[in-house]
Amino acid sequence: MLRGVEKTFSSRQGADYVAVRGFYLELARGEFFCLLGTSGCGKTTILNMIAGFEKPTAGVMELEGKPIAGPGRDRSVVFQGDDSLYDWLTALENVEFGLRMRGVPKTTRREQAHHYLDLVGLTGQEAKHPSELSGGMKQRIQIARVLANEPKMLLMDEPFAALDAQTRAVMQEELRKIWQATGTSVLFITHDIDEAISLATRLGVMYAGPASRLKEVVDVELEGARNRTDDRFLGYYRRVYGMIREEVEVARRRERPDGPR
Ligand SMILES: Nc1ncnc2c1ncn2[C@@H]1O[C@H](COP(=O)(O)OP(=O)(O)OP(=O)(O)O)[C@@H](O)[C@H]1O
Ligand SMILES: [Mg+2]
């Protein structure tokens, strides 16, 4: 669905910056794709274009055969951090918000909001306001809110980066369960190789920028609950680590051409 996509940012200082070029990616329905790459390689740029927030400079972008012309209800985005919850609304009302905007009748939207809050493990917290909840809980409400819109595609840009290690592991497990239960497609950006291998059905590593594109795509064939100490898990880890390591070196040399090798 992304074919030969390019994004050039024009700069006020003069020289334009080609962030991505020749980016190809075909996502299957229901798959969980993790996108990895060095800082500044263009991951968020790709996600913003799929979300419809940014337009590609060249190339074709389609969702189920239709060109992506702008944001739409078929795609929902979860950003890093959790500032987008409305603090004057309760957890339940936050989850209901999109449904209310769409004119879904009260009893139906209540029921759905309860269902998705339950799915993210927040039954019992419905009446609390975001300021009364922990960072991990707020992040779950964000996810519940997005799920309530029943998007075809969930776009997540490092959604767990700000969480502590334990909460993060719990959230990863929850997300995998939710994904299995709902069958939506997920595009998930992360810096964390371990997180990618724990979650993905497929993962892709990008080249260091500029003019970045996918370097390699790996099928993650691990059945059932994923165990980080499993030999096959570690095998994937080593492989992906090697792929990223090379790009970190490239990025470092580009930033400091005269630096130590
Ligand atoms: N609006 C913009 N104008 C100019 N340059 C931009 C703009 N947005 C991004 N860039 C540049 O495009 C490149 C890719 O940025 P992007 O945010 O996609 O990186 P990223 O892979 O998400 O990095 P990180 O892992 O640090 O979040 C960077 O070099 C960045 O400076
Ligand atoms: Mg980013």
Side-chain angles (χ1 to χ4, degrees):
M1 73 166 234
L2 273 70
R3 285 201 299 275
V5 166
E6 178 175 318
K7 180 71 188 178
T8 302
F9 292 107
S10 38
S11 134
R12 271 162 286 186
Q13 289 95 301
D16 289 351
Y17 185 79
V18 182
V20 294
R21 175 177 280 163
F23 194 99
Y24 286 81
L25 177 62
E26 191 80 38
L27 292 169
R29 187 181 293 189
E31 87 168 307
F32 199 127
F33 192 94
C34 283
L35 189 58
L36 293 137
T38 58
S39 181
C41 75
K43 303 179 293 298
T44 299
T45 303
I46 292 291
L47 184 128
N48 281 337
M49 288 192 288
I50 299 175
F53 301 148
E54 298 259 16
K55 280 200 172 25
T57 329
V60 175
M61 305 198 43
E62 287 175 352
L63 185 64
E64 301 195 336
K66 290 196 206 82
I68 295 175
R73 246 208 304 130
D74 49 0
R75 285 149 290 148
S76 290
V77 185
V78 180
F79 292 109
Q80 178 173 353
D82 42 36
D83 294 346
S84 70
L85 293 176
Y86 301 121
D87 206 48
W88 62 91
L89 298 178
T90 65
L92 189 74
E93 288 162 350
N94 265 288
V95 177
E96 260 184 84
F97 188 79
L99 302 171
R100 200 172 95 202
M101 290 286 115
R102 267 159 49 205
V104 176
K106 186 160 181 176
T107 39
T108 316
R109 65 177 200 245
R110 275 276 128 107
E111 232 166 71
Q112 286 195 25
H114 277 294
H115 169 71
Y116 286 106
L117 273 176
D118 187 46
L119 212 55
V120 298
L122 282 182
T123 296
Q125 313 289 337
E126 296 88 347
K128 291 195 179 154
H129 288 260
S131 59
E132 300 171 283
L133 297 167
S134 74
M137 286 170 166
K138 283 192 271 192
Q139 197 66 331
R140 288 182 210 204
I141 297 175
Q142 281 233 111
I143 294 170
R145 184 173 64 174
V146 152
L147 289 172
N149 291 326
E150 302 187 331
K152 287 190 187 127
M153 220 184 158
L154 209 53
L155 303 167
M156 308 182 95
D157 195 351
E158 305 199 48
F160 306 147
L163 304 177
D164 67 88
Q166 266 92 35
T167 310
R168 192 173 179 150
V170 172
M171 292 294 296
Q172 288 167 358
E173 252 171 68
E174 299 269 358
L175 179 63
R176 232 182 114 76
K177 278 192 215 144
I178 291 165
W179 165 72
Q180 281 164 339
T182 58
T184 59
S185 317
V186 183
L187 178 74
F188 187 103
I189 293 178
T190 179
H191 273 108
D192 185 342
I193 301 171
D194 188 276
E195 180 165 76
I197 299 168
S198 303
L199 291 171
T201 51
R202 251 186 346 147
L203 63 84
V205 174
M206 289 176 73
Y207 284 108
S212 179
R213 60 195 158 83
L214 276 176
K215 175 182 176 177
E216 211 174 323
V217 173
V218 177
D219 285 309
V220 184
E221 286 164 345
L222 297 168
E223 296 80 34
R226 295 185 175 181
N227 181 350
R228 291 172 168 82
T229 56
D230 180 77
D231 281 343
R232 292 186 52 219
F233 190 107
L234 294 170
Y236 280 115
Y237 191 98
R238 266 193 289 274
R239 186 169 158 201
V240 177
Y241 180 82
M243 281 152 61
I244 292 177
R245 186 74 221 153
E246 287 167 12
E247 295 313 306
V248 172
E249 287 298 319
V250 171
R252 201 171 57 95
R253 283 203 296 273
R254 280 184 189 152
E255 274 160 28
R256 300 169 51 198
D258 306 320
R261 299 268 138 153

